[in-house]
Amino acid sequence: MRLRVSVILFLSLTALLAQPVAPIDSRGWINKGVQEFKSARYQDAVASFQKAVDLDPNNVTARLYLGTAWMSQYIPGAESPENLEIANKAEAEFSRVLQIDPNNTTALASVASLMYQQAQGMPDLDEKIRKLDVAASWYEKLIAADPQNKEAYYSLGVIDWVKWYAPYMR
């Protein structure tokens, strides 16, 4: 009987110790979110990054990760209200980063990419061109912050080509 109680107690303690402990600070929530993101559990990652932001609203890293986790869930061309809300949340986080650090190249590149992705899914050519112009302006801001950014120059070239080619095909 005593052995059985000891075994049950041992198993109970082992199970208790195996339970993950919730992070206590912003850095812990970021680390948890990164692991969830790497496991493609994007909604869980969003929740963890949001907790990190709640604990430290000026933490640029937490906000960048939160925006990236939102952006990873965005589906270009899908016009559902939920999908558009995901894009808006991603953009809002990157905008908050830019309020803290106006030349943050990661946030600038992310907003530019998001605008380009949104343009790609637009069926109306005039709307698409307007959104591509918005994307181009973000890539120009990125170049102003980082003149050596090759991807920004390349993206501007692609945008110009798309803006020329679409009407040409009409």
Side-chain angles (χ1 to χ4, degrees):
M1 179 72 173
R2 215 170 204 190
L3 181 60
R4 187 174 188 186
V5 170
S6 296
V7 169
I8 291 172
L9 227 133
F10 174 76
L11 292 174
S12 297
L13 281 173
T14 303
L16 185 62
L17 292 174
Q19 295 293 321
V21 177
I24 58 171
D25 62 359
S26 182
R27 171 65 32 210
W29 284 108
I30 289 172
N31 291 338
K32 185 176 187 306
V34 166
Q35 292 306 312
E36 293 162 341
F37 189 89
K38 286 180 179 179
S39 299
R41 295 189 343 254
Y42 302 119
Q43 290 178 339
D44 293 338
V46 162
S48 293
F49 294 139
Q50 184 62 59
K51 287 178 184 171
V53 165
D54 292 344
L55 289 169
D56 187 1
N58 292 322
N59 186 323
V60 168
T61 302
R63 288 202 178 274
L64 284 172
Y65 283 152
L66 180 55
T68 301
W70 279 121
M71 193 166 140
S72 295
Q73 297 177 72
Y74 173 68
I75 303 165
E79 293 297 319
S80 72
E82 295 83 11
N83 193 50
L84 297 176
E85 181 66 19
I86 286 171
N88 290 338
K89 288 180 179 182
E91 183 181 358
E93 288 308 317
F94 296 130
S95 294
R96 287 185 187 109
V97 168
L98 293 169
Q99 288 172 353
I100 298 166
D101 178 8
N103 291 319
N104 186 292
T105 56
T106 303
L108 290 167
S110 296
V111 173
S113 176
L114 181 62
M115 296 299 121
Y116 180 79
Q117 288 178 37
Q118 288 179 321
Q120 291 306 102
M122 294 183 163
D124 180 64
L125 182 59
D126 291 332
E127 279 185 51
K128 182 176 194 161
I129 301 269
R130 279 194 291 279
K131 189 58 107 171
L132 285 171
D133 287 338
V134 172
S137 72
W138 282 102
Y139 281 116
E140 289 166 358
K141 290 175 187 177
L142 176 57
I143 290 169
D146 179 12
Q148 302 302 313
N149 191 304
K150 297 172 196 165
E151 290 82 13
Y153 289 105
Y154 176 80
S155 297
L156 284 174
V158 169
I159 288 170
D160 283 344
W161 183 84
V162 169
K163 288 171 55 179
W164 170 83
Y165 187 72
Y168 173 76
M169 290 307 291
R170 264 194 196 171

